[in-house]
Amino acid sequence: MPKSVGVRQAQAQRTRDGVLAAAAAVFVEQGVQAPIRDIAERAGVGIGTIYRNFPTRADLVTAVYRHQIDICAALAPRLLEESASPFTALTGWADAFVEFLVTKHGLGAALGSGDPGLENLHTLMLDTLVPACATLLDACVAADEVDLDITAYTLMRAIGNLCITGPDYDRADAGRMVATLLAGCRRQARQA
C-alpha cells in the first residue's frame, strides 16, 4: 500500500508540474487570461484536472509565477558559485530577470487587476527576488565591483522599467539597455 501511494503522489506531482509548464507557455503566448482549455490541451489533461489542482485562475497564475520566481531566486547563489566574478554572476542573473519580466505577458495586468487572489504576486516577487539580487550586489560590493549605494530594490526597479516592451521596443532592446545600466553600475567602468 505505501508503495502505491508514493507512485500516485509522484504521478500527481508530474501532472501538476506538466500543468504549470503548459500554463507558463500559454501565458507567454496569450497572456494570463488565456482560455483554460488551451492550457489543458497543451498539458494533455482535462479541464477538470486543472481545476482540481488550481480551483481558480488566480491560483494557477500564482503557482506559475511562484515557480518561476523560485527558479530565478535559486539562480543567484548558483551563479555566484560558478561565475568568474560577482559582477559576472549579477549580469547573468539580470539576464534571467529580464527574460522573466519580458516573457511574462499579462503579469503586469494581473498584478494591477484588483483580483484579491493575485495581490500576493508583487509581494512574492519582492520578498523572493530582492534578497537574491541583494546577495549578488553584496558580493559585488565586497569585490569592489559596484558602489555601496546601489540597492537591490532600486536596481530591480530600474531593470523592470527598462523591460516595458512595445511595438518598437522588444526583448533585445531591453537586454541592451539593461546591459548599459549594469555597465554604469560597475565601479571600474566609471574609474576608467
Side-chain angles (χ1 to χ4, degrees), residues 38-123:
D38 291 357
I39 296 166
E41 184 178 310
R42 173 85 52 106
V45 300
I47 292 174
T49 299
I50 293 180
Y51 284 115
R52 195 169 31 260
N53 283 279
F54 308 100
T56 67
R57 178 177 299 276
D59 293 332
L60 179 59
V61 170
T62 300
V64 167
Y65 290 120
R66 176 181 301 274
H67 179 69
Q68 293 178 344
I69 287 167
D70 289 344
I71 289 170
C72 193
L75 184 61
R78 193 176 90 228
L79 286 172
L80 268 177
E81 185 178 306
E82 297 171 356
S83 298
S85 73
F87 191 79
T88 302
L90 176 64
T91 301
W93 188 84
D95 288 344
F97 185 53
V98 167
E99 188 64 25
F100 171 77
L101 293 173
V102 172
T103 61
K104 302 309 160 233
H105 299 297
L107 180 57
L111 290 171
S113 70
D115 184 331
L118 297 174
E119 288 175 355
N120 63 345
L121 277 179
H122 187 258
T123 301

Side-chain angles (χ1 to χ4, degrees), residues 156-181:
M156 289 176 59
R157 185 163 181 167
I159 291 171
N161 287 339
L162 292 171
C163 289
I164 299 170
T165 59
D168 54 352
Y169 183 83
D170 61 13
R171 195 275 181 236
D173 295 318
R176 281 191 298 279
M177 293 308 299
V178 169
T180 302
L181 170 69

